Amino acid sequence: MIYFDHAANTKARKEVLDAFVETEENYIGNTNSLHPEGRRALAHYEELNHEVLSLLHLDPSIYETVYTTSATESNNLAIKGLYESYSGYGNKLLSSEFEHSSSNGALAYLKEKGADVRMVKTDKDGSFSQDDLKEKLDNSTLLFVLSAVEAEVGSLQDIQAAQRIVSATGNTRLLIDATQAIGKIPMDYNGIDMISFAPHKFGGLLGTGVLIKKKDIILTPLLHGGKSASLYRSGTMALGLIASVAESLSLALAEEKENFRKVEEVSSYLRKELENDRHILINSKPTNPYVLNLSYPGRNGSRTVAYFASHDICISQKSACSPSSSPSKPLMAIYHDKTRALSSFRLSFAPSNTIEEAKAFLSVLKDYENER
């Protein structure tokens, strides 16, 4: 089996599993408890939390962390929580045209509640339009939602420019969905209002998510209850899962440069071979080797994915959370070509992928092209 769908999920690393098990075995106390085991567990939590912020070079006096079950929960908490807390100051919410369904779903829910939700246009290079963002911003704008790396095509975004633009209004906050960026693409998150991500994209565990926010931002919680590590999410702290977050983040960042080199070797090889294929359109820019989005005009993307699956090669049509029957929103935003968007499919890589696997993909593609 060849797996080219790492943007959807990656295999959990053994070191991460070991960190989870070791923590669960050795820290039995509830962090809210006042007895010695509870205090010991709380102290370990504080160490882990400091490590997570330090790895991302974020000042713990400015930022705080909310540990969730997924990037979906993190995005919902950030978007709904901010709107509930600040809707007295305005009701406009802005988003790029290529956000994950977890953000789009939260925005659609708030639109039904009366929020003024608007999309910021996409430039031809796949980045959000800074001019359009400036034009749509006003004093009633509460939030701009932006993915650091777009998930289907892999376009990189200038998140610091986005922060500078929204900060100029005084009322607007920025949520960066860094799920496809952290541990893969070096980025500076200092100064960003809110950052969400899911460690299962870089060797962490499914069921873990993170929302990092500036301490001065007030969010209305999604989950209400008793005392916990954060005011913004009740529930007994899952110390083992938090340990797995810290371990996966530490490993991914330590190996970021070497992993980028390994992935670029495979991705560049495929790109070079496909440039001469008259059947294929390459939709991704070479700046992000982790994602290679392609189109085969005349053949629906779901058909292409099914063909490769029948040959034990795992690729995807779009983001795993997107409906398969609709055209790719990012491709529509960039190319304005429905045929291209409906016929697109995505390969996404990890350091474990090889040139031999890339050659196997090309061999199956040749058979697919010869099929009538």
Side-chain angles (χ1 to χ4, degrees):
M1 185 72 70
I2 296 174
Y3 189 75
F4 285 143
D5 196 22
H6 293 277
N9 189 47
T10 58
K11 180 179 179 181
R13 295 187 57 160
K14 184 179 184 304
E15 300 96 321
V16 174
L17 292 167
D18 289 345
F20 170 77
V21 171
E22 181 181 354
T23 303
E24 290 295 311
E25 287 181 339
N26 292 297
Y27 293 90
I28 63 173
N30 186 317
T31 54
N32 293 326
S33 299
L34 298 179
H35 52 59
E37 279 296 338
R39 290 174 178 172
R40 182 168 168 268
L42 180 60
H44 190 50
Y45 161 75
E46 291 172 348
E47 291 172 1
L48 292 169
N49 190 55
H50 186 271
E51 180 183 1
V52 168
L53 291 174
S54 296
L55 285 166
L56 294 172
H57 307 292
L58 298 175
D59 187 341
S61 69
I62 298 174
Y63 287 94
E64 60 185 326
T65 310
V66 185
Y67 295 97
T68 67
T69 59
S70 61
T72 292
E73 184 187 340
S74 296
N75 288 335
N76 271 259
L77 173 58
I79 296 167
K80 294 176 182 176
L82 186 111
Y83 184 81
E84 290 288 340
S85 295
Y86 295 96
S87 57
Y89 297 92
N91 76 327
K92 184 187 287 188
L93 303 171
L94 301 179
S95 170
S96 80
E97 294 181 300
F98 45 76
E99 290 311 299
H100 187 267
S101 56
S102 61
S103 294
N104 288 332
L107 291 166
Y109 169 83
L110 292 175
K111 185 175 183 178
E112 291 181 357
K113 300 293 183 181
D116 179 11
V117 177
R118 303 189 190 186
M119 298 292 113
V120 173
K121 295 177 182 178
T122 307
D123 286 335
K124 291 181 179 180
D125 64 354
S127 61
F128 76 95
S129 169
Q130 295 186 26
D131 289 338
D132 194 50
L133 175 60
K134 292 174 184 176
E135 185 176 326
K136 287 187 166 74
L137 278 172
D138 57 32
N139 289 333
S140 70
T141 308
L142 298 178
L143 180 67
F144 176 42
V145 182
L146 177 68
S147 289
V149 173
E150 188 282 312
E152 291 183 30
V153 181
S155 303
L156 308 182
Q157 305 299 318
D158 189 339
I159 63 173
Q160 290 296 334
Q163 185 66 59
R164 287 192 298 272
I165 293 169
V166 302
S167 296
T169 68
N171 296 328
T172 311
R173 298 291 191 168
L174 175 67
L175 168 62
I176 290 296
D177 184 338
T179 298
Q180 298 294 343
I182 286 185
K184 299 176 181 179
I185 307 295
M187 287 192 176
D188 178 13
Y189 297 96
N190 267 291
I192 303 299
D193 291 319
M194 297 187 287
I195 307 140
S196 65
F197 63 94
H200 74 90
K201 305 293 187 178
F202 50 83
L205 301 184
L206 282 163
T208 61
V210 179
L211 175 64
I212 299 174
K213 56 177 281 295
K214 288 181 177 177
K215 289 182 175 180
D216 65 347
I217 298 174
I218 299 171
L219 302 176
T220 300
L222 296 176
L223 303 176
H224 295 86
K227 180 183 177 183
S228 188
S230 169
L231 296 172
Y232 304 105
R233 190 181 192 278
S234 292
T236 303
M237 202 181 311
L239 198 59
L241 292 177
I242 295 171
S244 77
V245 170
E247 182 67 16
S248 61
L249 186 60
S250 176
L251 290 168
L253 292 175
E255 300 168 2
E256 191 174 59
K257 289 183 179 179
E258 178 61 17
N259 288 345
F260 189 96
R261 184 195 65 77
K262 291 178 180 178
V263 168
E264 189 173 40
E265 182 180 4
V266 175
S267 185
S268 296
Y269 171 80
L270 274 171
R271 178 181 287 274
K272 183 178 179 180
E273 294 295 316
L274 292 168
E275 283 174 350
N276 299 317
D277 190 325
R278 63 183 177 85
H279 299 285
I280 296 294
L281 298 175
I282 299 176
N283 301 318
S284 299
K285 305 296 182 184
T287 48
N288 178 9
Y290 281 90
V291 176
L292 183 59
N293 190 290
L294 309 168
S295 288
Y296 194 134
R299 297 195 184 182
N300 190 278
S302 59
R303 175 187 172 187
T304 304
V305 171
Y307 185 86
F308 278 90
S310 70
H311 290 75
D312 290 336
I313 298 178
C314 300
I315 61 175
S316 64
Q317 184 181 1
K318 294 183 291 184
S319 171
C321 300
S322 300
S324 60
S325 58
S326 61
S328 165
K329 287 184 178 180
L331 280 166
M332 286 297 293
I334 297 169
Y335 295 106
H336 308 286
D337 183 338
K338 190 173 182 179
T339 298
R340 188 168 188 162
L342 281 169
S343 63
S344 67
F345 57 98
R346 180 188 71 181
L347 285 72
S348 51
F349 308 104
S352 56
N353 291 128
T354 64
I355 295 292
E356 287 68 30
E357 290 177 330
K359 290 179 178 178
F361 168 84
L362 292 171
S363 177
V364 174
L365 177 63
K366 184 177 182 179
D367 294 338
Y368 183 51
E369 291 172 345
N370 292 332
E371 194 183 56
R372 293 291 184 268

